[in-house]
Amino acid sequence: MFELDLTQPKKVFFCGIGGISMSGLAEILKSRGFDVTGSDRAKSPTVKHLEESGIPVMIGQKKENITPDIDCVIFTSAIHPDNPEYQETMRLHLEHLTRAQLLGQVMKFYKVPVAIAGTHGKTTTTSMISEILLADDADPTVSVGGVLKDIGGNVRLGSDRYFVAEACEYTNSFLSLFPKIAVILDIDADHLDFFKDLADIRRSFRKFAELVPADGTLVVSGDIENLKEITDGLSCRVVTFGRGAENDYHPEDISFDALAHPTYTLVRKADGSKQTIRLDVPGEHNVFNSMAAIAVGDLLEAGRDNEAKALASFGGTDRRFQLRGTFGDSVTVIDDYAHHPTEIRATLTAARHVPHKKLYVIFQPHTYTRTKALFDDFAKALCLADVVILADIYAARETDTLGVSSELLAEKIKELGHDKTYYFDSFEKIENFVRENCRKGDVLITMGAGNVTDIAADLTGEKA
């Protein structure tokens, strides 16, 4: 595999540079003096930001974009062998890396690389850790899979000591990383277009845990079923967080304010100390995300007061229970990235703590594979809303419908006794329905990993 030395700038081309992680890596290389260019399928706010940062972006992926003077081409997992830029790279015998391989090589440049993995909560926990290090004046370099307001985007360029980054399990990309500290938040069945089953996913997380060196630390949820399968025999230190007092970190006395923001007592097993933690993000699931972040903060010797202060002021990242505004007669609109039954359940549970008359959810399933594999779980989770509205499945990288549809999902939800379930074949029809039916005091959540966020923007008159 080609080795990219961050101290020796080269000409690098990013195929699919507009992706949230790709764009961050492009900016990191640009800051190190690399000659960075790239391409993407369409203009986007991320592409515009890159261009303003001095990184040229070609719109449209064609073979003419790949020239012999390029030292290395970076591909996302979405780029397939039939892509013209991929084919030209191979024809010219140019060096190339996957996004994950590049991320791993970037990690090597930093003294303490921190990689946050898990089926759910990666972006939020990565952001929490980043906020803690910022509050502690640790000057971290950060690559996060969302827009973090305090760093003005999805990347922050800091010193060469701490590098904090998400570690995605899809296509086993996190196995290309080199973490000194690794976090595993949870392990759930997802990405079943790549993994065979949950057992296959667990094997990959075990391999990820094995990447941590003997002088490193794995921070892992003690609530993961059969945790020993993941941790037994590891050479590194293992620190746990979870519900029970047997964990190194556990919560007591969880309560919520009117906006579903938790306050809890954090108990550190090592010294028996107790600390009040207040969060400005909703839901019990964020109690556990914050404990993982505190565990990492403690390992990096962040001040406990700084940890609490950072978490109290962290208001979340874009599309994570994001308040978008109101429409009509004071109907509150929240936008959320949840696209897995576990995430849907967590988001809707948090929403039920928010004062409301009726809770509406507009859900756009993400990929046919995920919808088919978790069909019954989606139906049960969505029943937590008072009114369920389904948009067509967002196909993303897929073309085969696998015989599944949002209309069938709506029928399944109705079979569970939830008669206020509706399917519409266009965003326009959905918007017309909620404008006609939502009333003062109702809360509406647009939910999914596709372009359902556009509905929130249309309803509130805000930009997506």
Side-chain angles (χ1 to χ4, degrees), residues 32 106 116 128 182-183 191 299 304 340 347 370 417 454:
R32 299 289 176 184
V106 167
I116 297 87
M128 287 177 168
V183 178
H191 299 303
L299 289 169
R304 293 186 179 185
H340 183 283
T347 298
R370 183 182 285 114
D454 293 345

PDB file of all heavy atoms in Angstrom, residues 32 106 116 128 182-183 191 299 304 340 347 370 417 454:
ATOM      1  N   ARG A  32      -1.119  21.098   5.305  1.00  0.00           N
ATOM      2  CA  ARG A  32       0.250  20.578   5.401  1.00  0.00           C
ATOM      3  C   ARG A  32       1.056  20.898   4.145  1.00  0.00           C
ATOM      4  O   ARG A  32       2.156  20.376   3.960  1.00  0.00           O
ATOM      5  CB  ARG A  32       0.216  19.059   5.614  1.00  0.00           C
ATOM      6  CG  ARG A  32      -0.483  18.628   6.897  1.00  0.00           C
ATOM      7  CD  ARG A  32       0.317  18.976   8.115  1.00  0.00           C
ATOM      8  NE  ARG A  32      -0.394  18.649   9.352  1.00  0.00           N
ATOM      9  CZ  ARG A  32       0.063  18.923  10.562  1.00  0.00           C
ATOM     10  NH1 ARG A  32       1.239  19.508  10.699  1.00  0.00           N
ATOM     11  NH2 ARG A  32      -0.650  18.627  11.632  1.00  0.00           N
ATOM     12  N   VAL A 106      -2.986   9.465   8.169  1.00  0.00           N
ATOM     13  CA  VAL A 106      -2.990  10.770   8.833  1.00  0.00           C
ATOM     14  C   VAL A 106      -2.863  10.582  10.341  1.00  0.00           C
ATOM     15  O   VAL A 106      -2.135  11.315  11.022  1.00  0.00           O
ATOM     16  CB  VAL A 106      -4.271  11.556   8.472  1.00  0.00           C
ATOM     17  CG1 VAL A 106      -4.444  12.767   9.382  1.00  0.00           C
ATOM     18  CG2 VAL A 106      -4.233  11.997   7.011  1.00  0.00           C
ATOM     19  N   ILE A 116     -13.347   7.086  17.362  1.00  0.00           N
ATOM     20  CA  ILE A 116     -14.633   6.819  17.999  1.00  0.00           C
ATOM     21  C   ILE A 116     -15.488   5.956  17.078  1.00  0.00           C
ATOM     22  O   ILE A 116     -15.861   6.378  15.988  1.00  0.00           O
ATOM     23  CB  ILE A 116     -15.365   8.134  18.343  1.00  0.00           C
ATOM     24  CG1 ILE A 116     -14.561   8.952  19.355  1.00  0.00           C
ATOM     25  CG2 ILE A 116     -16.760   7.836  18.915  1.00  0.00           C
ATOM     26  CD1 ILE A 116     -13.530   9.865  18.746  1.00  0.00           C
ATOM     27  N   MET A 128     -18.356  15.766  21.391  1.00  0.00           N
ATOM     28  CA  MET A 128     -18.209  15.978  22.836  1.00  0.00           C
ATOM     29  C   MET A 128     -16.752  15.916  23.266  1.00  0.00           C
ATOM     30  O   MET A 128     -16.277  16.753  24.050  1.00  0.00           O
ATOM     31  CB  MET A 128     -19.016  14.928  23.598  1.00  0.00           C
ATOM     32  CG  MET A 128     -20.517  15.130  23.558  1.00  0.00           C
ATOM     33  SD  MET A 128     -21.382  13.773  24.425  1.00  0.00           S
ATOM     34  CE  MET A 128     -23.043  14.440  24.529  1.00  0.00           C
ATOM     35  N   ALA A 182      -9.210   4.047  21.538  1.00  0.00           N
ATOM     36  CA  ALA A 182     -10.369   3.689  20.716  1.00  0.00           C
ATOM     37  C   ALA A 182     -11.611   3.658  21.596  1.00  0.00           C
ATOM     38  O   ALA A 182     -11.548   3.273  22.764  1.00  0.00           O
ATOM     39  CB  ALA A 182     -10.169   2.337  20.046  1.00  0.00           C
ATOM     40  N   VAL A 183     -12.734   4.090  21.015  1.00  0.00           N
ATOM     41  CA  VAL A 183     -14.011   4.075  21.719  1.00  0.00           C
ATOM     42  C   VAL A 183     -14.984   3.192  20.940  1.00  0.00           C
ATOM     43  O   VAL A 183     -15.081   3.311  19.714  1.00  0.00           O
ATOM     44  CB  VAL A 183     -14.599   5.499  21.843  1.00  0.00           C
ATOM     45  CG1 VAL A 183     -15.952   5.457  22.546  1.00  0.00           C
ATOM     46  CG2 VAL A 183     -13.635   6.427  22.584  1.00  0.00           C
ATOM     47  N   HIS A 191     -25.841  -1.858   8.301  1.00  0.00           N
ATOM     48  CA  HIS A 191     -25.010  -2.029   7.099  1.00  0.00           C
ATOM     49  C   HIS A 191     -25.025  -3.486   6.629  1.00  0.00           C
ATOM     50  O   HIS A 191     -23.988  -4.060   6.280  1.00  0.00           O
ATOM     51  CB  HIS A 191     -23.569  -1.573   7.366  1.00  0.00           C
ATOM     52  CG  HIS A 191     -23.448  -0.129   7.740  1.00  0.00           C
ATOM     53  ND1 HIS A 191     -23.924   0.879   6.923  1.00  0.00           N
ATOM     54  CD2 HIS A 191     -22.918   0.486   8.825  1.00  0.00           C
ATOM     55  CE1 HIS A 191     -23.683   2.050   7.502  1.00  0.00           C
ATOM     56  NE2 HIS A 191     -23.091   1.842   8.651  1.00  0.00           N
ATOM     57  N   LEU A 299      -8.585  10.204  30.453  1.00  0.00           N
ATOM     58  CA  LEU A 299      -7.349   9.585  29.954  1.00  0.00           C
ATOM     59  C   LEU A 299      -6.362  10.633  29.458  1.00  0.00           C
ATOM     60  O   LEU A 299      -5.144  10.464  29.586  1.00  0.00           O
ATOM     61  CB  LEU A 299      -7.676   8.608  28.825  1.00  0.00           C
ATOM     62  CG  LEU A 299      -8.377   7.311  29.228  1.00  0.00           C
ATOM     63  CD1 LEU A 299      -8.876   6.569  27.989  1.00  0.00           C
ATOM     64  CD2 LEU A 299      -7.434   6.408  30.027  1.00  0.00           C
ATOM     65  N   ARG A 304     -11.616  18.111  35.261  1.00  0.00           N
ATOM     66  CA  ARG A 304     -13.004  17.669  35.431  1.00  0.00           C
ATOM     67  C   ARG A 304     -13.984  18.835  35.293  1.00  0.00           C
ATOM     68  O   ARG A 304     -15.077  18.662  34.754  1.00  0.00           O
ATOM     69  CB  ARG A 304     -13.174  16.960  36.777  1.00  0.00           C
ATOM     70  CG  ARG A 304     -12.426  15.638  36.835  1.00  0.00           C
ATOM     71  CD  ARG A 304     -12.713  14.868  38.118  1.00  0.00           C
ATOM     72  NE  ARG A 304     -11.988  13.594  38.116  1.00  0.00           N
ATOM     73  CZ  ARG A 304     -12.101  12.665  39.055  1.00  0.00           C
ATOM     74  NH1 ARG A 304     -12.916  12.872  40.096  1.00  0.00           N
ATOM     75  NH2 ARG A 304     -11.415  11.534  38.979  1.00  0.00           N
ATOM     76  N   HIS A 340     -31.804   4.321  11.810  1.00  0.00           N
ATOM     77  CA  HIS A 340     -31.774   2.947  12.290  1.00  0.00           C
ATOM     78  C   HIS A 340     -32.805   2.841  13.408  1.00  0.00           C
ATOM     79  O   HIS A 340     -33.013   3.811  14.151  1.00  0.00           O
ATOM     80  CB  HIS A 340     -30.367   2.613  12.812  1.00  0.00           C
ATOM     81  CG  HIS A 340     -30.190   1.197  13.258  1.00  0.00           C
ATOM     82  ND1 HIS A 340     -30.667   0.725  14.470  1.00  0.00           N
ATOM     83  CD2 HIS A 340     -29.576   0.136  12.663  1.00  0.00           C
ATOM     84  CE1 HIS A 340     -30.357  -0.549  14.598  1.00  0.00           C
ATOM     85  NE2 HIS A 340     -29.697  -0.939  13.528  1.00  0.00           N
ATOM     86  N   THR A 347     -34.450   8.881  19.595  1.00  0.00           N
ATOM     87  CA  THR A 347     -34.876  10.240  19.246  1.00  0.00           C
ATOM     88  C   THR A 347     -36.325  10.491  19.641  1.00  0.00           C
ATOM     89  O   THR A 347     -36.662  11.530  20.225  1.00  0.00           O
ATOM     90  CB  THR A 347     -34.698  10.479  17.735  1.00  0.00           C
ATOM     91  OG1 THR A 347     -33.311  10.366  17.405  1.00  0.00           O
ATOM     92  CG2 THR A 347     -35.189  11.865  17.338  1.00  0.00           C
ATOM     93  N   ARG A 370     -31.233  -1.847   4.275  1.00  0.00           N
ATOM     94  CA  ARG A 370     -31.486  -1.617   5.696  1.00  0.00           C
ATOM     95  C   ARG A 370     -32.987  -1.751   6.009  1.00  0.00           C
ATOM     96  O   ARG A 370     -33.375  -2.331   7.021  1.00  0.00           O
ATOM     97  CB  ARG A 370     -30.972  -0.240   6.102  1.00  0.00           C
ATOM     98  CG  ARG A 370     -31.139   0.059   7.587  1.00  0.00           C
ATOM     99  CD  ARG A 370     -30.660   1.452   7.955  1.00  0.00           C
ATOM    100  NE  ARG A 370     -29.205   1.531   7.985  1.00  0.00           N
ATOM    101  CZ  ARG A 370     -28.480   2.266   7.136  1.00  0.00           C
ATOM    102  NH1 ARG A 370     -29.084   2.963   6.178  1.00  0.00           N
ATOM    103  NH2 ARG A 370     -27.168   2.299   7.239  1.00  0.00           N
ATOM    104  N   GLY A 417     -51.487  -1.578  14.983  1.00  0.00           N
ATOM    105  CA  GLY A 417     -52.511  -0.819  15.673  1.00  0.00           C
ATOM    106  C   GLY A 417     -52.345   0.679  15.623  1.00  0.00           C
ATOM    107  O   GLY A 417     -53.066   1.418  16.301  1.00  0.00           O
ATOM    108  N   ASP A 454     -34.804  18.561   3.636  1.00  0.00           N
ATOM    109  CA  ASP A 454     -35.350  19.613   2.774  1.00  0.00           C
ATOM    110  C   ASP A 454     -36.768  19.994   3.182  1.00  0.00           C
ATOM    111  O   ASP A 454     -37.186  21.146   3.011  1.00  0.00           O
ATOM    112  CB  ASP A 454     -35.355  19.164   1.305  1.00  0.00           C
ATOM    113  CG  ASP A 454     -33.951  18.993   0.735  1.00  0.00           C
ATOM    114  OD1 ASP A 454     -32.996  19.482   1.368  1.00  0.00           O
ATOM    115  OD2 ASP A 454     -33.818  18.359  -0.330  1.00  0.00           O
TER     116      ASP A 454
END
